[in-house]
Amino acid sequence: MVQGDVLPSRLPFRTLTLVQDGSEDWCVGFRCPCGCGRTIELSLPQDVTPRWTCSTDFLGRPTLHPSVWLKNGCKSHFWLREGRVIWV
């Protein structure tokens, strides 16, 4: 996982970018794992909806909760658990 203060315009494949505002996690961005090239940006602040939580294990592998379900475009639906995509 890469960290920064803005989401880059071009995200590398298979890499999550965590955007922070000061010490607060703001969003996580990554390219859709189906390969369609779509950028997925998920909000992390507790006072917004919808929102996700992003955590890493001791090896640095990311987990997102809840699942990611794209309602249009490729319509991918998946969980990200310990760095692995689990398709629904």
Side-chain angles (χ1 to χ4, degrees):
M1 182 163 21
V2 177
Q3 293 183 349
D5 57 358
V6 295
L7 195 59
S9 59
R10 201 158 150 79
L11 294 168
F13 190 62
R14 295 186 175 193
T15 301
L16 267 68
T17 301
L18 177 65
V19 177
Q20 295 178 314
D21 181 19
S23 63
E24 181 181 14
D25 293 343
W26 185 252
C27 73
V28 63
F30 55 98
R31 288 178 43 197
C32 185
C34 83
C36 71
R38 178 178 176 169
T39 296
I40 298 173
E41 184 176 345
L42 305 175
S43 297
L44 301 176
Q46 293 184 9
D47 59 345
V48 300
T49 55
R51 78 173 200 79
W52 283 258
T53 58
C54 181
S55 59
T56 56
D57 66 9
F58 69 98
L59 294 175
R61 300 176 299 191
T63 293
L64 293 173
H65 183 79
S67 68
V68 177
W69 190 356
L70 304 177
K71 303 288 183 170
N72 53 40
C74 67
K75 299 188 179 180
S76 291
H77 187 192
F78 58 92
W79 291 90
L80 184 62
R81 296 284 183 247
E82 296 176 343
R84 305 189 115 201
V85 175
I86 302 166
W87 295 100
V88 176

